[in-house]
Amino acid sequence: MRNSILTLTVHGLLLISCALLVECPASAQPATTGAWETQMEWNLRAVHLILTKDGKVLALEEPDPTTQPPPKDTLVFTPTTGDIDVSVPQQVDSDYNAFCSGHAQLSDGRILIVGGGSGADPESRYVLIYDPDQPSQTWNDRALSQQDWLDAEEGRWYATCTTLGNGKILIAGGRVSCDSPAPTDPTNRLLTFDITKAVGQKYSEPEGGTTPYHDFTWYPYMFLRPNGHIFYCGGNDHDNGNCGQPLSTHSFNPNSKNWTSIASSPMYNMSAVMYKPDAFMKVGENKGGEPTTSYCSGSPGKSAWKLDFATLTPAWSAMPCMNVARKNGQLLLSPDGRVMVFGGAPSNTELYRKPEWIDPNDANSTWTLLAAGDTHRAYHSAAILLPDARILQAGSNGQTTAQIFKPPYLFQANGSSADSVRPVIATPSLSGTLIKYDDSFEITLANSGDYDEITQVVLMRLGAATHGFDQEQRRVVLDFSVSDPSSGPLVVETPAHSHLAPPGYYMLFVLKQGDRAGIQFPSVARMVRVGAS
C-alpha cells in the first residue's frame, strides 16, 4: 500500500535547443553534438571509475611497486569542484591490489571490491570494502578478514558483481586462463556474498541441478531482471573471440537454481546494457554464423543488437549499425533513456574520438555522432554518468588523462550553457533520504508552469565501470501524476519491489519536454537511498 509522502522541492525552467534535423549555426553546434570540457591530467590510468553516494568518483589504477617513487594508483575526484585528491591512501602502500577487480554497491552505499590484482594467488582472492565516508582509511583496513576472502580455488580476475534484490552480491566469472573450463570448475560457478553474515559465512553457491557451459571468462554481462532472474549475454571479448565464448544467451532462476537457454547470440561482445526493465542491448563484432559478415557492410565493430522479453519469443534483433567501427568501447545510459557508446578507438583520429548515441526505445532512431574528445580511448578506459548529467570518461592504455562530456541536453539553442535555466533541486540535501518500495512521494517545482511539461521522473543507479562494462548502471522510470497542472505537486510512485531497483543509492532526475521531438532535459540529480528500511 502507498501510504507515506516525502516532499522534495525542485526548481525547473525550460531548456531551449536547436532541432536535431535542422542545420544549426556553427556557434550552436553544442546543442546538437554536445561539447567536451578541458581535459584534466590525472597522472593515473583510470581503469576503474566508481561513483559513490557523496557524488564523488573513486578512480583505480594498477599499483606499480617497481617504480620509485611509486606512481599514484588511487584518487578521488569531486565533479562539482574539479578537485583531484591523490592524498588518499594508495594501494601500493598496502598489501592489496584492486586492479581488474569486480565491484558493486552495497545497500548502505559502501563499495564491495572482489578479486583482481595480477590474477595470481592471493590477489585474486582479495575482498575489500571502500567506504566513501572514510576516504582516509588504508587499503589494509579496507580488506575483510581472510576468512571472508574467496577460497584459493575460486579466486577471481575480471569478475562481475551484480547487486540482487535482497541486497546480496552475485559474483560471476573471473579467470586468469582463457581455456574453456568444465562447468564444475570453481571459477566458472556463481557465488553470492552477504555482508550481513558472520565472519566466514558470507558466501553461498546458488547454482544447483545441471549447470550449462556458460564460459564465465572475463567480466560476464549479468543483469538482474524484474522477475528476480539473472540475464547473461556473454562477456568482455578483448581477445577477439579467441577464447571461444559460446554464442548463446541464458537466464538463471535462483529459485529453481537452474539456467534456461534464451536465444543464440549474434556476435562476440564489446559492451552490454539493460536499457529498460527486461530489455537488453549489446554491441560488438560479428564472428560468422548468425548473422553473416555482410552485416554492417562487413565492418567489424559496428554491430548493435537488442533483445526484449516483452516479445512473445525473445530473440536478438539487429539495430542500425554504428557510424564508427569500435573495439573495447562502452555503452552508457543517459537519464532520458538514450544509450551512448564511448571509446573503442583503435587509432587517434577525430572520428574515433567521437561518441555516438541512439534511442533504443524508438524504432526509427539511428546512431548520431557527437563531439570528438581530445584523446582516443580504448582498452582499460571507462565512462560513468555524473549527478549533474555530464559524462566522465578516463583511462585507456598509455593515457593518464580524464575528460568530461556535456551532452546536447546541457546546451541552449544558441550553443551557450544551459546551467542558468536547468532545473535546480532546492532541498539542501537528500543524501540518506529513504525511498521505500511500493510507496509514493511528492516533488514540488518552483516554476508552476513546468508541471504540465514534465515527461519523466527517473532513478539512475550509481555507476561502477571498467573494461567496457558498467556493472551497476540501471535506469528506473517512476510513474507519476500531477495533483494540479497549475500548482503541482508531482506525486511519484516508487518502484514496486527490489527486483526493479535493488537497494542502494540512486540519482533522482526530473525530466521535462525540450523544444524538439525526442529531446528531454534533466534536472541536476540528488542522491536518494532506495530500500525496504
Side-chain angles (χ1 to χ4, degrees), residues 251-430:
S251 185
F252 173 66
N253 183 340
N255 294 318
S256 67
K257 299 185 178 182
N258 282 312
W259 291 82
T260 301
S261 179
I262 301 299
S264 175
S265 180
M267 64 187 176
Y268 292 104
N269 306 299
M270 177 168 58
S271 191
V273 69
M274 183 169 71
Y275 65 89
K276 67 178 181 180
D278 241 7
F280 307 87
M281 176 178 164
K282 59 192 291 187
V283 292
E285 181 177 354
N286 300 316
K287 283 288 182 180
E290 183 186 24
T292 66
T293 54
S294 63
Y295 181 65
C296 290
S297 301
S299 178
K302 287 188 175 182
S303 303
W305 296 72
K306 63 181 179 180
L307 180 149
D308 191 343
F309 276 92
T311 60
L312 184 62
T313 305
W316 291 103
S317 60
M319 298 176 65
C321 300
M322 292 185 290
N323 293 286
V324 180
R326 301 176 187 270
K327 180 178 174 61
N328 297 311
Q330 180 194 322
L331 294 178
L332 184 145
L333 287 169
S334 66
D336 64 359
R338 294 177 186 266
V339 174
M340 304 183 187
V341 60
F342 283 84
S347 62
N348 189 16
T349 64
E350 181 179 1
L351 179 62
Y352 279 119
R353 299 196 307 269
K354 290 183 176 182
E356 45 190 313
W357 68 359
I358 192 172
D359 185 353
N361 299 290
D362 181 355
N364 297 317
S365 181
T366 58
W367 291 95
T368 300
L369 285 170
L370 303 171
D374 292 348
T375 300
H376 74 287
R377 303 185 191 276
Y379 190 54
H380 283 152
S381 65
I384 57 172
L385 175 70
L386 300 175
D388 57 10
R390 296 180 297 167
I391 313 296
L392 173 66
Q393 187 186 26
S396 190
N397 286 347
Q399 305 292 346
T400 61
T401 60
Q403 196 168 14
I404 289 178
F405 178 65
K406 299 178 72 173
Y409 52 65
L410 297 181
F411 292 92
Q412 300 186 65
N414 62 6
S416 63
S417 172
D419 287 350
S420 62
V421 296
R422 291 182 64 197
V424 175
I425 295 178
T427 307
S429 175
L430 296 177

Side-chain angles (χ1 to χ4, degrees), residues 5 9 92 118 262 273 300 307 337 372 433 504 529:
I5 299 293
T9 302
V92 73
S118 64
I262 301 299
V273 69
L307 180 149
T433 298
R529 185 166 64 92

